[in-house]
Amino acid sequence: MRVYLIVFCLISCTVNGQIVYSITEETERGVSVGNIAKDLGINAATLSSRKFRVITGSSKQYFNIDVSTGALSIKEPIDREQVCELKSTCFLNYELVLENPLELYRMEFKVLDINDNSPSFALSEYHINVAEFLSPGARFALPTARDSDEGSNSVQNYTLSPDDHFCLEMQTHGDGSKYPELVLEKALDREQQATHRLILTAKDGGNPPKSGDIQVIVTVLDTNDNAPEFEHSVYRASILENSPNGTLVVQVHATDLDEGPNGEVRYSFSNSTAADLQQMFLINPHTGEVAVNGILAVQRPLLEMLIEARDKGAFGMSSTAKLLVEITDVNNHAPEITIASLSSPIPEDAVPGTVIALLSIMDKDPGENGKITCQIPDNLPFQLKPSLENYYSLVTSGLLDRELISEYNITITATDLGSPPTTTQKTLWVQISDVNDNPPVFIADACDVSVEENNPLGAFLYQVSASDPDVGENGRVSYALRNSTVAGSALASILSVSLANGSIYAKRAFDFEQLRSFHFQVEAKDNGSPALSTAITVNVYISDQNDNAPAILYPTSQNGSVAVEIVPRLADEGYLVTKVVADDDDNAQNAWLSYHLAHSSDSTLFRLVPHSGELRTTRSMRSTDFLKHKVVVVVRDHGDPPLSSTVTVGILLADSLPQALPDFDDSGDPPPLLNTTNLYLIVSLACVSCVFAAFLLFLTLARLCRCQTSHHHGCCTCYMLEVAGVGKLTHTYLYRASIGLGPEGISETKKGWHKSRLQFLIHGKLIHCRETMIFYFLRFFQ
């Protein structure tokens, strides 16, 4: 038969994204059905890149789609009777999903029936007992055949093998269905023929037609010539699909005009009733009550059963009635939510209306119980929009901001319209991906940094820090100095900044006296694309260190000479001799100056005002005061540690300006008593005096010895030494030695003796002797 099958592949419609194909069942593998891409107007080359896929609720895949060409072909032959059971029309539903952009199409396959099933009877043979006394015209029920095909391919007529006593007639039920009956045409004679074997043939309307046979065995009996009769040929009942066991469906009733056992009726399901229905329902053989005997797990809303009433006669007679049971749906199925497609994460700059997910929401209940309403919470920037039948699209309805909310748990609630309604919830987890929409942010627009001058090279100054709420590369911040100059120098030659953490370092030492403050900008830039940046202004204030000693501005000296101030000889007390003026390049207390008198040739004559530097006389001048004086002034700042400078001022007491200033480096001012030079001079003088005294003593003793040997007169020696000096040695000393011998008291002065005056110059000058006495002493004592 398959060789002669004609494949009908016809595009019926493509309205609202739906396409319908018609195909006959049992079509062989590989047979082309159509081209999806061509029929839907889609470029076949994009099917693979757009992640083309087919969604179906069937566990078996009957079709094959070539992604590269869009060709649709048979993958597995379809058995309409297996797929659609007893449905009059058979459809297979598929959904086609394309992404980028997301598109949904519905594809239906109408499976056309072919005459591939023969009529069949439930039994291989059927027995009928017929009383021989029955008159012609008596009727007997015959079994009906079942054919899984539909329409004209199902059972159309019955034929009976030729027999002299029986013929076949077709009868019609109240619902219009036909069934065969065996009609007695000629009275029976059990003694001539006790059993009649007939062949009942059921034929369908296919081309060529198919048929099925059953052997009808008629046994001729002698008694019970009345069959039970039902009150109704068709019984109708309606029950809820969740009815428990024992629920009464209907009670049938048949009467038999016979009396005794021949009139007692027993009820049972006819052998023509499907076995699953006989297990689902239970009939009371005595009362005719039909009750539920199991779970009503059927997909058909209308169940058809045949009930047989048979009497208890020796040759029991029977009749049948049809029972139609309508299963009333109960809302016992909750909606089913299936995620057909989900795009997560989605960028935070997605425009409103962006499709995030495609949902399939189904309810197996029919009617109102299967109608669904679907919703999501109102406080979310998302919206559910109906798509095709039983499909919803989840789209954005507002702007997204990952920095505020980085993910959403969207609860989808599906509720049917049953009574009471049933609800199903499903939660979608949607992540928001980052977009570089936030620049780095500093805590403030500017910051102040203080650094001491004379800092070491590479000294850490400050660390700027910017935060970026973005993530990943969009939130990774790097730092750099913006191009600028400071005091005529490039900023990069003065400072450096760490690219990673924003630490600022000094590349050279700062000098407060040259640069007290400056400012620059540090730029923070993220690594997004495009990169975003911001800047902070850094104000650097250089603090002072005491690294400069006071500078003497007045009085000044030239070529190392001492500055000279002239004071009247008769100046009064408090006379302003001079004012020392100094300056310090440092700042604040490092530049606060005080003036101190370090040395003065006459400490009683001059005083120095500490804060103004004025040098004044402490008393009136006297005529006995020295004409030249030297004063050393120390100027000291208040730094820690303090620094100082000194200046030497020469003071000349004169009533008028002399033609030439004296040399204050060789002045006659009394020096300090115990300086190094004076100490050496004193020790030298003491040594010479000791030697001289020793010589005098020695010579005196020698002369005494000589005088004692002299016979005519005594001897007298006179020595005189006058020493005059400048400085502390201001007196003349006279040394005289005389020895008188004899009563005359004669004195004799040795010739060759001369006065000698020694002058000593203090402050490191040479000691001059106008006349050298030592030479004469040596000659005399020879």
Side-chain angles (χ1 to χ4, degrees):
M1 290 293 292
R2 292 186 179 180
V3 177
Y4 299 97
L5 285 178
I6 300 175
V7 180
F8 298 98
C9 301
L10 176 64
I11 302 176
S12 299
C13 61
T14 57
V15 180
N16 295 329
Q18 182 170 336
I19 182 170
V20 180
Y21 293 92
S22 296
I23 182 172
T24 57
E25 63 172 330
E26 302 296 338
T27 301
E28 295 179 353
R29 292 183 180 91
V31 175
S32 176
V33 177
N35 190 293
I36 292 296
K38 180 179 179 181
D39 297 336
L40 294 178
I42 302 172
N43 186 0
T46 64
L47 293 179
S48 178
S49 62
R50 295 182 63 185
K51 300 180 180 179
F52 172 79
R53 59 185 181 276
V54 179
I55 301 175
T56 178
S58 175
S59 60
K60 197 171 185 180
Q61 184 64 277
Y62 293 101
F63 300 94
N64 185 36
I65 299 178
D66 189 345
V67 180
S68 60
T69 62
L72 177 66
S73 60
I74 299 297
K75 181 178 181 180
E76 189 72 24
I78 304 173
D79 187 350
R80 190 196 68 84
E81 287 73 24
Q82 180 181 359
V83 174
C84 298
E85 296 183 352
L86 299 179
K87 293 181 182 179
S88 59
T89 57
C90 182
F91 286 93
L92 294 179
N93 297 318
Y94 292 83
E95 282 75 34
L96 308 179
V97 179
L98 294 171
E99 296 184 2
N100 300 322
L102 185 64
E103 294 181 351
L104 177 67
Y105 299 91
R106 168 164 287 185
M107 180 172 59
E108 288 189 354
F109 292 87
K110 184 177 181 180
V111 182
L112 304 179
D113 182 55
I114 62 174
N115 192 23
D116 58 341
N117 290 284
S118 300
S120 62
F121 293 89
L123 302 174
S124 60
E125 59 183 25
Y126 185 77
H127 293 270
I128 300 177
N129 295 326
V130 179
E132 64 175 346
F133 55 83
L134 291 180
S135 302
R139 297 176 178 273
F140 306 93
L142 291 176
T144 57
R146 295 173 60 89
D147 193 334
S148 299
D149 297 327
E150 67 172 348
S152 61
N153 292 329
S154 63
V155 177
Q156 298 296 317
N157 56 68
Y158 295 86
T159 58
L160 187 67
S161 58
D163 189 271
D164 294 336
H165 295 86
F166 298 96
C167 69
L168 183 68
E169 289 186 3
M170 299 298 298
Q171 299 295 330
T172 303
H173 287 295
D175 61 346
S177 60
K178 294 182 179 181
Y179 62 94
E181 279 190 349
L182 184 66
V183 179
L184 181 62
E185 287 187 329
K186 183 179 179 182
L188 299 173
D189 187 357
R190 194 186 67 81
E191 285 71 68
Q192 291 183 1
Q193 187 177 356
T195 302
H196 297 264
R197 296 184 178 275
L198 308 175
I199 302 298
L200 178 63
T201 302
K203 293 184 179 181
D204 58 27
N207 186 17
K210 292 187 176 183
S211 62
D213 298 331
I214 185 175
Q215 186 176 20
V216 179
I217 300 175
V218 179
T219 302
V220 180
L221 303 176
D222 286 335
T223 57
N224 196 14
D225 55 350
N226 290 293
E229 292 184 3
F230 285 97
E231 293 179 351
H232 306 284
S233 60
V234 176
Y235 288 87
R236 298 179 184 273
S238 177
I239 61 172
L240 298 177
E241 65 172 336
N242 62 346
S243 298
N245 289 349
T247 300
L248 179 64
V249 178
V250 71
Q251 183 175 11
V252 298
H253 184 261
T255 59
D256 194 322
L257 298 178
D258 296 325
E259 294 182 354
N262 294 330
E264 294 182 8
V265 179
R266 295 180 64 87
Y267 302 95
S268 63
F269 287 112
S270 172
N271 293 328
S272 299
T273 302
D276 59 336
L277 297 180
Q278 294 187 37
Q279 295 177 357
M280 197 177 301
F281 296 94
L282 182 66
I283 187 170
N284 190 315
H286 302 290
T287 62
E289 294 179 348
V290 179
V292 176
N293 189 41
I295 300 175
L296 302 179
V298 293
Q299 299 297 326
R300 304 187 298 275
L302 186 64
L303 304 180
E304 179 180 334
M305 293 168 282
L306 292 177
I307 298 177
E308 181 181 79
R310 184 179 295 276
D311 59 31
K312 292 185 177 180
F315 308 100
M317 302 184 68
S318 65
S319 62
T320 58
K322 180 177 288 188
L323 173 61
L324 300 177
V325 178
E326 181 181 2
I327 305 298
T328 303
D329 181 61
V330 176
N331 193 23
N332 59 344
H333 292 93
E336 297 178 359
I337 302 175
T338 303
I339 302 175
S341 179
L342 174 63
S343 298
S344 178
I346 58 174
E348 61 178 325
D349 61 349
V351 298
T354 301
V355 179
I356 298 174
L358 183 65
L359 309 174
S360 172
I361 304 177
M362 308 266 309
D363 195 318
K364 295 181 180 179
D365 294 318
E368 292 296 315
N369 293 334
K371 293 181 179 180
I372 302 169
T373 60
C374 191
Q375 61 184 3
I376 60 174
D378 296 332
N379 58 345
L380 298 178
F382 301 97
Q383 183 180 2
L384 272 179
K385 288 187 176 181
S387 183
L388 298 177
E389 183 181 357
N390 299 326
Y391 278 87
Y392 289 84
S393 296
L394 180 64
V395 300
T396 58
S397 61
L399 298 177
L400 304 176
D401 191 345
R402 189 206 64 81
E403 287 71 40
L404 295 177
I405 303 177
S406 61
E407 59 183 31
Y408 290 89
N409 288 318
I410 305 174
T411 301
I412 301 170
T413 303
T415 304
D416 59 29
L417 300 182
S419 181
T422 58
T423 300
T424 298
Q425 288 185 338
K426 190 159 191 172
T427 301
L428 296 182
W429 182 43
V430 178
Q431 290 180 293
I432 309 300
S433 61
D434 185 55
V435 174
N436 192 25
D437 56 349
N438 291 282
V441 177
F442 289 99
I443 298 177
D445 295 334
C447 64
D448 297 334
V449 178
S450 180
V451 57
E452 288 190 348
E453 64 173 332
N454 303 319
N455 57 283
L457 298 183
F460 171 78
L461 301 183
Y462 191 71
Q463 182 177 10
V464 297
S465 179
S467 60
D468 194 321
D470 295 323
V471 297
E473 291 299 309
N474 294 333
R476 186 166 64 86
V477 180
S478 58
Y479 303 88
L481 295 174
R482 282 193 172 174
N483 293 331
S484 63
T485 59
V486 175
S489 299
L491 181 62
S493 66
I494 300 175
L495 301 172
S496 66
V497 64
S498 173
L499 182 69
N501 59 24
S503 296
I504 303 172
Y505 301 93
K507 297 178 70 174
R508 74 180 190 188
F510 297 113
D511 188 352
F512 174 81
E513 287 71 37
Q514 294 183 2
L515 181 65
R516 298 195 173 189
S517 66
F518 64 93
H519 66 274
F520 61 93
Q521 286 189 328
V522 177
E523 182 182 66
K525 181 186 293 184
D526 59 31
N527 204 35
S529 180
L532 301 178
S533 64
T534 188
I536 183 174
T537 299
V538 181
N539 300 311
V540 178
Y541 299 95
I542 302 171
S543 59
D544 182 47
Q545 283 187 339
N546 193 25
D547 57 346
N548 291 282
I552 306 298
L553 303 180
Y554 183 83
T556 60
S557 60
Q558 297 180 355
N559 300 324
S561 62
V562 176
V564 178
E565 298 289 342
I566 299 176
V567 178
R569 290 182 58 82
L570 298 179
D572 295 331
E573 178 184 353
Y575 180 84
L576 178 62
V577 177
T578 186
K579 182 175 181 179
V580 179
V581 180
D583 188 26
D584 196 320
D585 291 336
D586 294 325
N587 191 33
Q589 66 180 14
N590 294 330
W592 297 349
L593 304 180
S594 61
Y595 302 84
H596 307 276
L597 197 59
H599 170 70
S600 175
S601 58
D602 191 344
S603 60
T604 63
L605 186 57
F606 302 102
R607 64 181 177 88
L608 187 66
V609 180
H611 299 296
S612 64
E614 294 179 350
L615 181 63
R616 294 181 180 272
T617 60
T618 58
R619 60 177 175 81
S620 300
M621 294 295 180
R622 302 170 186 170
S623 59
T624 58
D625 291 331
F626 288 100
L627 299 180
K628 294 192 301 181
H629 297 272
K630 185 184 290 185
V631 174
V632 179
V633 177
V634 176
V635 183
R636 183 179 296 113
D637 60 29
H638 285 70
D640 184 20
L643 300 177
S644 62
S645 299
T646 61
V647 60
T648 302
V649 181
I651 302 172
L652 178 63
L653 301 181
D655 292 330
S656 62
L657 183 64
Q659 293 182 356
L661 294 177
D663 184 6
F664 279 85
D665 291 336
D666 190 17
S667 66
D669 298 339
L673 197 57
L674 292 177
N675 59 23
T676 305
T677 303
N678 290 347
L679 181 62
Y680 291 157
L681 290 176
I682 293 171
V683 172
S684 300
L685 184 58
C687 293
V688 172
S689 299
C690 291
V691 172
F692 180 68
F695 271 104
L696 287 180
L697 179 62
F698 174 75
L699 292 178
T700 302
L701 293 176
R703 294 298 292 176
L704 287 176
C705 292
R706 288 182 181 182
C707 288
Q708 289 176 2
T709 61
S710 178
H711 301 285
H712 58 278
H713 59 79
C715 181
C716 179
T717 303
C718 180
Y719 306 91
M720 185 176 69
L721 174 63
E722 183 178 359
V723 180
V726 181
K728 296 301 181 179
L729 302 177
T730 61
H731 302 282
T732 301
Y733 299 91
L734 179 62
Y735 300 92
R736 183 174 296 172
S738 64
I739 301 174
L741 298 176
E744 296 82 8
I746 299 173
S747 297
E748 182 183 350
T749 301
K750 182 71 175 178
K751 292 182 180 180
W753 287 92
H754 301 278
K755 294 180 180 179
S756 179
R757 176 174 296 180
L758 300 178
Q759 290 184 344
F760 301 89
L761 183 63
I762 312 305
H763 301 296
K765 299 300 181 179
L766 294 176
I767 303 174
H768 301 282
C769 296
R770 293 182 180 179
E771 296 178 17
T772 308
M773 294 295 296
I774 299 176
F775 173 77
Y776 298 101
F777 283 131
L778 293 177
R779 291 190 61 186
F780 175 76
F781 288 108
Q782 288 178 354

